Amino acid sequence: MGAWRRLWASVGFRLAFQYAVLVAITMMAALAIVYLQTVGVLHQRIARQVGVTTTQMQARAEQQGLEAVAAAIGRALDDGRQSDTELFGVWQPDGTRLAGNLDAPPADATGGRDGQQRAQRGGTANTGYLAVRRLPGDALLVVGHDLSDQDALESLVVSASAAAGLIALLLLVGGVFVFRQELEQAVGRVRRTAGRIAEEGHLAERVDMTTGDDEFARLGQDINAMLDRIESLMEGVRHVSNTIAHELRTPLTRALLGLQAAQAPGVDDAARREAIDRAVHELQDLGTVFQKLLQIAEAEAGARRRAFAPVALHTIADDVLELYEAVAENQGAHLVREPADEARVDGDRDLLAGAIANLVDNALKYGGPGCTVRIGTTMAAGQAIVEVQDDGPGVSEADLARLGERFTRLTPELPGHGLGLANVRAVAALHGGRLVAEGAEPGLRMRMVLPIGSPSHN
């Protein structure tokens, strides 16, 4: 019983067993149809033939008398057609046989009954389909057909059906275990991979792929793609953790040392206030870093997707340009709004405004004094595009792929935390889009590409 319970616990075995039951039912129905179409049809034909002959004999008896019936029976038995299967008998009320090949009337000879009965013919008991009728003058008429051939055919059909059923049963039993083995082999690859990852923690493990394009092959591909994504995310988490530890340790250390210095005996009030101010500034910077990290995490988690509504990106771009005009004027830079086409998406207006502001702020910062920053909005191929381009020194091809990573600062001497473009990339991904960095020769072109319709929630 324990082995059977373990076997039944297998989904593959249960599915195969249920399929086998369905096939067995189908096979039994098919065999029943074959039986009815052979034996059943033959039985109906015999009954119809006996019924027609009986009716004819009754009509002859009423019109011409018993002698005519006896003569007709004699001709039927002597014509050589089905004489070995035809059964006839006519008896006087006193039991004297007038004609026929039956030795005696059947046991149930009350008249008016049709069906299978035993009757004596030539000293041998035979099973036949008999019609028993009372004729005028209380004579007894029996017309029938020997069922020996039908019994043989029925036995043959039953034997063939039993043999076919046994073979089918063996094939089904074998098929159940073959199906279970195939399913276990296909699922086993996934289970073994998941087990190695769970036990050893190696995210580099992948499901062994087989040739073909069946459901399990596609499942393996999807699981491998999922593992690739998980490994990438874990690498990102490790990178961010290490970077946060490095980025935060330095300002925390500076703030701690400054406060410790302010506590030292003999420090005048002015030096103490200056040390406290520096520590407050460092801690405020740390608060800004954490706030930006939380914004990025919130965008990546999709927590604000429910608040999406139609947004006019061209209007947001106009507002951002107006906001940064004073900043650009102070550093001698120029802001240009082109192209200024309408661009509308479904999204979060505040997040999109912050993302565009980050792009403009980044372009002004790295474009340098006297640069020209172009802010453009347009629609193309079912997408809304916000493009911010400067004519500054630009970024090398090798560094373009790094833009948008957390804490990436290609020019460390400039102020910042390396989180602005990471925030833009997270906002673009939240809206189902992407952030693209390209060399503008001269300068850098950052393009935020967003789908026009509502983004997928996946």
Side-chain angles (χ1 to χ4, degrees):
M1 287 298 293
W4 170 251
R5 289 195 186 95
R6 288 193 298 272
L7 194 61
W8 185 252
S10 168
V11 174
F13 179 81
R14 291 201 304 271
L15 288 175
F17 182 79
Q18 292 164 4
Y19 176 75
V21 170
L22 290 176
V23 171
I25 294 173
T26 303
M27 180 192 67
M28 292 172 63
L31 291 175
I33 292 173
V34 170
Y35 178 83
L36 292 176
Q37 290 296 318
T38 53
V39 178
V41 169
L42 182 59
H43 179 79
Q44 292 175 1
R45 189 179 70 179
I46 291 173
R48 185 167 54 251
Q49 179 181 349
V50 170
V52 170
T53 304
T54 302
T55 302
Q56 293 173 349
M57 293 295 178
Q58 283 181 298
R60 192 181 300 274
E62 292 175 358
Q63 296 171 6
Q64 302 176 18
L66 291 179
E67 292 77 8
V69 173
I73 290 174
R75 289 194 298 272
L77 293 175
D78 294 337
D79 62 6
R81 293 181 301 176
Q82 299 182 348
S83 300
D84 56 339
T85 58
E86 291 177 323
L87 300 176
F88 289 103
V90 178
W91 288 270
Q92 294 279 13
D94 60 2
T96 303
R97 188 180 72 176
L98 297 178
N101 57 359
L102 291 176
D103 298 339
D108 186 4
T110 57
R113 180 179 182 275
D114 298 348
Q116 291 189 22
Q117 294 191 58
R118 300 285 289 179
Q120 293 283 336
R121 182 181 65 168
T124 304
N126 294 277
T127 300
Y129 182 87
L130 303 179
V132 181
R133 299 289 187 273
R134 287 292 175 179
L135 299 179
D138 205 28
L140 184 66
L141 171 67
V142 178
V143 179
H145 192 283
D146 195 318
L147 296 180
S148 299
D149 292 341
Q150 183 181 1
D151 291 342
L153 178 60
E154 183 175 352
S155 177
L156 179 62
V157 171
V158 171
S159 300
S161 299
L166 180 60
I167 294 173
L169 180 62
L170 294 176
L171 291 176
L172 286 174
V173 172
V176 165
F177 287 96
V178 170
F179 180 84
R180 178 179 178 273
Q181 189 68 23
E182 287 290 328
L183 188 62
E184 176 64 26
Q185 184 177 0
V187 177
R189 291 192 293 268
V190 177
R191 294 180 58 247
R192 287 191 294 272
T193 301
R196 289 195 296 268
I197 293 175
E199 294 174 4
E200 303 172 10
H202 296 320
L203 288 177
E205 293 285 348
R206 294 295 181 270
V207 178
D208 296 332
M209 297 304 300
T210 58
T211 57
D213 191 33
D214 58 15
E215 292 80 2
F216 290 106
R218 291 194 291 272
L219 175 63
Q221 294 169 1
D222 292 340
I223 290 177
N224 285 342
M226 178 189 68
L227 291 174
D228 290 340
R229 179 60 175 159
I230 291 175
E231 185 178 18
S232 174
L233 291 174
M234 291 302 296
E235 285 295 330
V237 169
R238 281 193 288 268
H239 171 71
V240 169
S241 300
N242 294 336
T243 307
I244 288 177
H246 175 74
E247 292 287 334
L248 300 187
R249 183 171 54 212
T250 300
L252 279 175
T253 301
R254 285 199 300 264
L256 179 61
L257 291 176
L259 292 175
Q260 288 176 343
Q263 288 181 326
V267 177
D268 57 43
D269 291 342
R272 183 177 290 108
R273 282 195 298 272
E274 182 180 357
I276 293 175
D277 289 342
R278 285 197 301 269
V280 169
H281 179 72
E282 294 285 356
L283 294 177
Q284 286 176 339
D285 279 349
L286 287 177
T288 301
V289 170
F290 279 115
Q291 181 64 28
K292 290 184 176 181
L293 287 173
L294 288 174
Q295 290 175 352
I296 294 172
E298 186 181 44
E300 290 179 339
R304 297 181 60 166
R305 187 179 282 119
R306 290 187 296 273
F308 278 11
V311 176
L313 291 176
H314 55 282
T315 302
I316 296 177
D318 293 339
D319 295 341
V320 171
L321 182 142
E322 182 179 351
L323 178 66
Y324 275 88
E325 278 183 342
V327 178
E329 185 178 349
N330 287 338
Q331 71 177 56
H334 304 281
L335 296 180
V336 180
R337 180 74 173 86
E338 64 174 15
D341 300 341
E342 286 193 2
R344 301 179 185 275
V345 297
D346 287 340
D348 187 302
R349 191 183 193 285
D350 294 337
L351 290 179
L352 291 171
I356 296 174
N358 268 322
L359 292 177
V360 174
D361 184 77
N362 201 69
L364 289 172
K365 182 188 301 183
Y366 292 97
C371 70
T372 298
V373 175
R374 182 176 61 82
I375 307 168
T377 54
T378 185
M379 303 277 284
Q383 296 175 319
I385 302 173
V386 178
E387 191 172 275
V388 177
Q389 177 180 332
D390 64 72
D391 58 356
V395 176
S396 66
E397 283 290 331
D399 290 332
L400 281 177
R402 297 176 55 201
L403 294 178
E405 295 180 357
R406 294 179 178 87
F407 300 109
T408 295
R409 299 174 61 195
L410 301 181
T411 311
E413 59 271 15
L414 293 179
H417 305 287
L419 295 175
L421 291 182
N423 181 276
V424 176
R425 187 170 69 173
V427 171
L430 174 67
H431 289 77
R434 66 189 189 280
L435 179 65
V436 181
E438 299 174 341
E441 299 180 358
L444 176 67
R445 181 185 303 112
M446 300 298 298
R447 182 183 295 118
M448 186 167 60
V449 183
L450 305 174
I452 293 176
S454 297
S456 172
H457 286 213
N458 293 334

